[in-house]
């Protein structure tokens, strides 16, 4: 939701681009987040109310999310080079349009790219046209900023294993939750309702005669 409505990233949706990867990615993130929230609510209701039907639905949805997480991690790792190339082309498109139109929305988008990747421009000869969107620094530092397309490609190549590890780690956490829900599902209803520790009995003192 921040990517869609945040002041720093809203400019992405106001730019007429030939590619829609960013908007599609944001939509996928929002839908996935809503689905994970729904799964969490169903799991809480099933665990608190000892409902086998809710636990069954929770386990099924969680299994689906685990498969999606693993598949997304593997695809992101395998297609990291293609994704980096598309993102670099995405940057080049915004850069070219900004040089022509000087649109404030495109300027905000370029600043987001430049500050995120600590880079600026695509060529030193025409970098002066986008100097106002470069990261802050003195004149010499601005002259030494690397070119953004090459930085984007190198970052994706070096970060691909970390992205895969993040997806697999999230899937592992979900797998632990799935195992816990399976244990709760197999327990008898009476055993789930009985507390593990019973409070000690209260003894009334006998009155002496």
């Amino acid at each position: 939701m921040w990517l869609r409505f945040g002041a720093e990233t809203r400019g992405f949706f106001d730019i007429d681009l030939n590619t829609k990867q960013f908007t599609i990615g944001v939509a996928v993130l929002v839908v996935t987040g809503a689905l994970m929230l729904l799964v969490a609510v169903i799991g809480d209701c099933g665990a608190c109310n000892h409902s086998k039907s809710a636990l069954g639905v929770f386990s099924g949805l969680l299994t689906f999310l685990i498969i999606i997480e693993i598949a997304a991690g593997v695809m992101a790792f395998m297609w990291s080079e293609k994704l980096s190339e598309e993102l670099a082309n995405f940057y080049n498109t915004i850069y070219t349009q900004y040089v022509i139109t000087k649109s404030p929305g495109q300027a905000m988008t370029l600043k987001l790219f430049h500050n995120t990747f600590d880079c600026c421009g695509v060529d030193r000869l025409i970098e002066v046209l986008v100097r106002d969107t470069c990261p802050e620094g003195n004149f010499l530092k601005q002259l030494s900023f690397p070119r953004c397309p090459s930085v984007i490609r190198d970052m994706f190549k070096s970060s691909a294993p970390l992205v895969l590890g993040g997806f697999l780690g999230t899937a592992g956490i979900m797998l632990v939750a799935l195992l816990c829900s399976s244990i709760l599902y197999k327990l008898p209803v009476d055993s789930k309702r009985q507390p593990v520790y019973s409070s000690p009995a209260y003894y009334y003192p006998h009155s002496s005669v």
Side-chain angles (χ1 to χ4, degrees):
M1 297 298 290
W2 171 78
L3 287 172
R4 178 62 182 88
F5 299 105
E8 297 86 355
T9 57
R10 194 182 305 164
F12 279 110
F13 297 88
D14 300 329
I15 301 173
D16 184 17
L17 297 173
N18 296 326
T19 177
K20 298 295 182 182
Q21 285 89 344
F22 182 79
T23 55
I24 293 174
V26 170
V28 169
L29 285 176
V30 172
V31 172
T32 304
L35 182 59
M36 293 180 71
L37 179 61
L38 176 63
V39 171
V41 171
I42 294 175
D44 289 341
C45 293
C48 295
N49 299 325
H50 315 293
S51 172
K52 281 197 170 186
S53 59
L55 287 174
V57 174
F58 171 76
S59 299
L61 291 176
L62 197 58
T63 302
F64 175 74
L65 284 178
I66 290 174
I67 295 173
I68 293 298
E69 286 283 340
I70 296 175
V74 172
M75 287 189 296
F77 180 79
M78 295 176 60
W79 296 346
S80 59
E81 186 173 350
K82 181 179 179 181
L83 291 174
S84 65
E85 192 65 32
E86 289 185 354
L87 188 59
N89 293 335
F90 184 74
Y91 172 84
N92 289 332
T93 303
I94 298 174
Y95 182 93
T96 303
Q97 291 186 1
Y98 175 72
V99 170
I100 298 173
T101 64
K102 295 293 183 179
S103 168
Q106 294 164 357
M108 185 176 297
T109 303
L110 283 179
K111 287 181 180 179
L112 177 64
F113 266 105
H114 295 161
N115 292 325
T116 301
F117 295 101
D118 196 25
C119 61
C120 187
V122 297
D123 188 278
R124 294 188 184 279
L125 296 178
I126 58 175
E127 182 185 325
V128 65
L129 299 176
V130 297
R131 185 68 55 79
D132 55 331
T133 65
C134 293
E136 295 183 358
N138 55 37
F139 181 75
L140 293 178
K141 183 179 180 180
Q142 289 188 348
L143 288 178
S144 63
F145 279 124
R147 308 306 97 198
C148 284
S150 59
V151 171
I152 293 172
R153 295 186 184 97
D154 294 340
M155 189 276 295
F156 267 80
K157 290 179 181 178
S158 60
S159 301
L162 296 177
V163 173
L164 177 61
F167 276 106
L168 294 181
T170 305
I173 295 173
M174 291 182 177
L175 183 60
V176 173
L178 179 61
L179 293 176
C180 294
S181 66
S182 300
I183 293 173
L184 284 176
Y185 184 84
K186 292 180 179 179
L187 287 177
V189 177
D190 293 338
S191 65
K192 286 187 285 188
R193 293 184 181 277
Q194 291 178 355
V196 177
Y197 299 101
S198 59
S199 58
Y202 183 79
Y203 295 96
Y204 293 93
H206 296 284
S207 58
S208 58
V209 180

